[in-house]
Amino acid sequence: MPDEKEQRYDPAAIETKWQERWAADPVLYAAEPAGSSKPKYYVLEMLPYPSGQLHMGHVRNYSIGDALARHMWMRGYNVLHPMGWDAFGLPAENAALKNNTPPREWTLGNVAAMKRQMQRIGFSYDWRTEVTTCLPEYYRWNQWFFLRMVEKGLAYRKKSKVNWCPECATVLANEQVVDGCCWRHEETRVEQRDLEQWFLRITNYAEELLQGLESLEGWPEKVRTMQRNWIGRSEGTEVDFFLEEINLGPRDQGNKEPEKQGSGVRDQGSERRRIRVFTTRVDTIFGATSVQLAPEHPLVAAFTRKDAGLRTQVAGLIDEQRRAREAGDVGAIEKHGVPTGQFAINPYSGETIPIWVANYVLMEYGTGAIMSVPGHDERDFEFAKKYAIPIRRVIAPADPRAEEPELPFTAEDGVLVNSGEYSGLSCAEAQKRLQEVAARSGFGGAKVIFRLKDWGVSRQRYWGTPIPMIHCERDGLVPVPDAHLPVILPEKIEITQTGGSPLARVPDFVNVTCPRCGGPAKRETDTMDTFVDSSWYFYRYTDAKNSSAPFGPERAEYWFPIDQYIGGVEHAILHLIYSRFWTRVMRDLGMIRNSEPATRLFTQGMVIKNGAKMSKSKGNVVSPDEMVAQYGADATRMYALFAAPPDRDLDWQEDGVAGVSRFLARVWRLTARHAAKARSVANGTNNACATASATAQKLLRKMHQTIARITLDFEGRWHFNTCVAAIMEYVNALQEADAQLGSDEISAGVVRELLLTLALLLAPFAPYLAAELWEQLGGEGNILRAPWPKSDPGLAKEDEIEVPVQINGKLAAVIRVAAESDGKTMEAAALADEKVKARTAGRTVVKVIVVPGRAVNLVVK
RNA sequence: GCGGAAGUGGUGAAAUGGCAAACACACUAGCCUUAGGAGCUAGCGCCCAAAAGGCUUGCGGGUUCAAGUCCCGCCUUCCGCACCA
């Protein structure tokens, strides 16, 4: 046996050796094509942005996915485990400004660097299916999809108020505004600007996206709830209040493009003007004592045209609301309002009530107008108190004996009072009746509205997918023909941060001929939001080299839906709702059959250090490269799994990595000591259990128990921290029996089985060391595809077990009994125990509860 | 305000309703030595000098033979949403 000193565990040497060997086999991690006899398993981790440096969050995310992928391979599945790069985005432009490096060069350099890091750690990706979203062979399909959406009316252009980040000099989606600030610039207030923008009609799918969440049982409840709230479905009623006819001067045409969710003003020829409100509590409408308009409501402009005083006051409200929105505390500002001096008529009661403008009414939600019912709504109550607007009770408790509750009374299980012919009806019944009346009489009806808005995808930046549209003076907006795709992003370009889109300053790009009339025309210079790229990238993995379509339908059909998707919870809304939308669009284009991209989603916790998220500004960043250099890739990734369950935040402690590294060294030495003995017998001769010694049987029992524990965790619980702990326990048991492993007491066949199994159990977590051990022990074939060990329940079972004996629920003694003991035997053993006897002396045992194999409890008086 | 998750030793944590603290880290004492970021042995929740014993899973109730685990109420922390009509 070689001197142990020369056999020091040297992770760098082992890992480099295997990395080279595995790199030489390009199909090592390749999935088999559709039609494979094996069941398919698609495991996917969210693709990173190529910043240039892998961080610990990546390492954790990919270590989880990698362990799962490796396990599934060993279980005999046909595994698809791909990786790619979310490579468009602003940082490349910033870097270009700072270092004068072209974005493409910078990005691809980062991709190469991070790929090296991933390969060094040994993640099992099939690099032949790598997807890089900034390359034309990928983004041309973004353009292709965009054109399909234009054809289907799912992509459209409109002028709208947009979120503008002055730092990015671009528009942000609603989803990218956090607390009134840019998601990438937490200090930068987002401004509101009016611009012509491209939108995708995600609201067409609002109902379905909401319904679909019900079926996603494999997704965390938290994510489903967040999406539910984001979609924000609300059932209610729209009601038109008639405007008391007054002199407004020339008819106002303010609202030329009606909002999808209902317009503020209807001008129906000779009919009277109306204000449409949305309410979820139409049953309280007899209690409406004012109508409140959002300050930006088109009708307000008409009212203020002749009233300079009102105009000033409204401007003040708008300003206040804007400032609050930018500060991110819209909910915190005090409620203010101004009476317009105009009146509206309640269509049910004919009552005339004043019209106000109020800063707590939002133009973006509902119709931008509400009926104010101070008796039965908290906000309206607060407002009415402040301005001495009448407060009226129109709902009473269902139980007539109940005391009259204080106002505002917002419960919905009451009955109507003071509500004309509707008095006496329950709230629910009244809502139904009032909706029917409104619909029949043409002044409203039932209505479902959503908080979700269409997805603004235009960006005035360079480093993104060019939107394939052409502006022709004669033909208007003309789509680029499919045959002209891709619209290539020009490479020679001067990046600036101001002055609009950099693309607009590239004449070669901008000036084209119109595909329709052949006349001079200009290209659209907006690029697409990068979330477009990540909305469908995982389909491309199934057919990454396809140059005639985004992917072949038969491949998507085979691999989808994704069996397990793994990533950070920060994508719970943005990426995960966009990709659910995109999947449905592709389904409706006939490209796929599934409606959801992934059946199971796992969101791992953050990696923190000293109680805070790792960040450069806090100076608590731990570099994966340093960890790998010091302790090896195996120790680094195994620690990432060992330190906490995957769904919880993980506090990075370098001492812990050192501990895992020492553990791996112990495994290494243990194997080195007994490798020769293990190698001395061939495979298949190792089933020596029947004749094995007591020590051997004990170790084999521990082995089977360990296999069972780990296998179970892979099947769903995913507490990989306890999997690693179980392996450690197993190794501790082997080490305690070190002398016997080396002696005749344990046969070579058993030693071989014990150690080969150890290597197999380690393979998902520490693949390099596992491969090395496998080779030293003379294991057959490639350990990566060796079958996962099976636990034999018979061999895993203990002969004798320890059972607690409780007296009145308190622990009194622990007895040893045979594992299969029945209740009577256990009871007898418990009563025979000295400690139990002492405690029960002179008292009566009233009852004995025996849980076979578990516990004995004596109820004693 | 609404929704979600969590609260256990010095630390990370473990525990199908059945012996709370597995597995590690840190620490303490000792051993070994080719002095290593190594290895080995022992100790390590709290109270008591020790033993015996008692106490202990944020707080208060409850269900149960038995509760860290289930139920009710509260507190704290973190996360998401929020004048959503």
Side-chain angles (χ1 to χ4, degrees), chain A residues 164-304:
Chain A
W164 178 269
C165 172
E167 195 70 30
C168 301
T170 190
V171 167
L172 302 176
N174 293 323
E175 289 83 347
Q176 290 163 336
V177 180
V178 181
D179 288 343
C181 292
C182 173
W183 68 310
R184 304 207 79 108
H185 302 98
E186 290 171 28
E187 307 292 312
T188 306
R189 294 279 161 80
V190 170
E191 300 168 0
Q192 304 290 310
R193 291 199 183 178
D194 266 320
L195 283 177
E196 285 273 323
Q197 297 288 305
W198 286 99
F199 288 85
L200 302 184
R201 238 185 258 287
I202 191 171
T203 53
N204 272 19
Y205 292 88
E207 186 72 55
E208 211 200 321
L209 286 168
L210 185 69
Q211 289 300 318
L213 291 171
E214 301 306 315
S215 69
L216 292 177
E217 280 161 16
W219 284 39
E221 193 51 49
K222 179 189 168 108
V223 173
R224 296 205 280 171
T225 306
M226 282 167 73
Q227 292 209 357
R228 251 178 233 124
N229 292 340
W230 191 261
I231 296 167
R233 185 181 195 274
S234 190
E235 281 184 18
T237 313
E238 283 188 337
V239 179
D240 292 334
F241 279 68
F242 299 101
L243 224 60
E244 206 177 47
E245 209 52 72
I246 35 100
N247 183 12
L248 281 174
R251 288 253 153 149
D252 170 55
Q253 298 294 319
N255 200 25
K256 283 179 212 138
E257 299 171 84
E259 289 284 319
K260 267 208 86 234
Q261 295 186 341
S263 67
V265 179
R266 290 288 165 81
D267 185 344
Q268 301 184 343
S270 60
E271 273 191 46
R272 303 164 75 188
R273 293 167 177 248
R274 307 157 173 223
I275 301 174
R276 174 156 282 200
V277 305
F278 175 79
T279 176
T280 53
R281 289 297 305 275
V282 70
D283 52 307
T284 66
I285 197 162
F286 282 77
T289 51
S290 67
V291 166
Q292 306 281 346
L293 302 177
E296 305 93 334
H297 195 283
L299 203 49
V300 174
F303 289 159
T304 56

Side-chain angles (χ1 to χ4, degrees), chain A residues 476-766:
Chain A
L477 273 172
V478 181
V480 172
D482 280 6
H484 294 186
L485 296 184
V487 176
I488 297 273
L489 196 60
E491 297 214 11
K492 288 212 158 181
I493 189 160
E494 192 204 347
I495 308 279
T496 56
Q497 217 155 27
T498 50
S501 171
L503 282 176
R505 294 191 302 273
V506 183
D508 285 356
F509 178 80
V510 174
N511 298 316
V512 287
T513 53
C514 170
R516 230 167 252 167
C517 69
K522 293 196 184 304
R523 270 195 204 287
E524 170 67 65
T525 57
D526 281 356
T527 52
M528 296 183 200
D529 182 4
T530 55
F531 278 99
V532 168
D533 309 330
S534 53
S535 289
W536 68 278
Y537 74 102
F538 31 69
Y539 290 91
R540 183 71 180 169
Y541 284 139
T542 64
D543 202 0
K545 301 279 197 294
N546 195 326
S547 57
S548 58
F551 53 85
E554 64 297 332
R555 300 216 190 180
E557 166 101 43
Y558 175 74
W559 285 108
F560 273 79
I562 297 160
D563 295 280
Q564 183 69 60
Y565 197 16
I566 307 166
V569 75
E570 66 272 17
H571 294 109
I573 294 177
L574 293 163
H575 163 58
L576 289 171
I577 216 160
Y578 293 148
S579 49
R580 293 182 61 226
F581 159 65
W582 210 278
T583 287
R584 284 170 167 80
V585 172
M586 292 194 298
R587 179 202 61 196
D588 292 347
L589 288 169
M591 302 173 69
I592 53 172
R593 291 195 203 216
N594 52 300
S595 294
E596 293 289 348
T599 44
R600 284 175 59 87
L601 171 73
F602 186 86
T603 51
Q604 91 271 5
M606 283 189 301
V607 180
I608 58 176
K609 172 102 197 250
N610 306 325
K613 189 178 177 181
M614 284 188 188
S615 74
K616 276 183 206 140
S617 58
K618 292 196 187 84
N620 61 349
V621 176
V622 178
S623 145
D625 281 348
E626 270 174 47
M627 288 296 122
V628 170
Q630 290 238 36
Y631 305 102
D634 282 337
T636 303
R637 58 150 73 186
M638 198 158 163
Y639 173 74
L641 295 175
F642 176 58
D647 56 339
R648 240 197 262 186
D649 284 353
L650 182 159
D651 194 80
W652 194 270
Q653 296 182 5
E654 195 172 330
D655 284 332
V657 190
V660 172
S661 169
R662 284 198 298 271
F663 164 72
L664 294 177
R666 219 150 47 230
V667 171
W668 166 261
R669 290 192 302 269
L670 175 77
T671 309
R673 282 196 297 277
H674 305 291
K677 182 168 174 181
R679 266 199 314 271
S680 69
V681 286
N683 267 329
T685 61
N686 49 12
N687 228 338
C689 315
T691 57
S693 67
T695 319
Q697 286 198 20
K698 212 176 93 188
L699 291 176
L700 286 166
R701 186 183 304 131
K702 185 79 183 169
M703 183 188 89
H704 284 284
Q705 289 169 349
T706 307
I707 296 169
R709 272 176 74 174
I710 296 172
T711 307
L712 190 68
D713 257 309
F714 269 113
E715 276 161 12
R717 207 180 67 138
W718 278 29
H719 281 196
F720 298 131
N721 55 328
T722 60
C723 291
V724 175
I727 297 175
M728 287 173 169
E729 280 186 51
Y730 177 47
V731 169
N732 290 347
L734 291 174
Q735 192 142 296
E736 263 173 55
D738 197 57
Q740 291 94 319
L741 286 171
S743 77
D744 289 344
E745 198 175 334
I746 301 179
S747 72
V750 170
V751 169
R752 179 183 175 80
E753 186 178 356
L754 290 168
L755 293 178
L756 282 176
T757 301
L758 173 58
L760 291 169
L761 293 175
L762 278 168
F765 308 109

Side-chain angles (χ1 to χ4, degrees), chain A residues 790-806:
Chain A
K790 263 195 135 66
S791 173
D792 181 329
L795 295 175
K797 212 157 85 192
E798 299 281 354
D799 302 333
E800 221 179 27
I801 51 169
E802 290 191 336
V803 174
V805 181
Q806 297 171 321

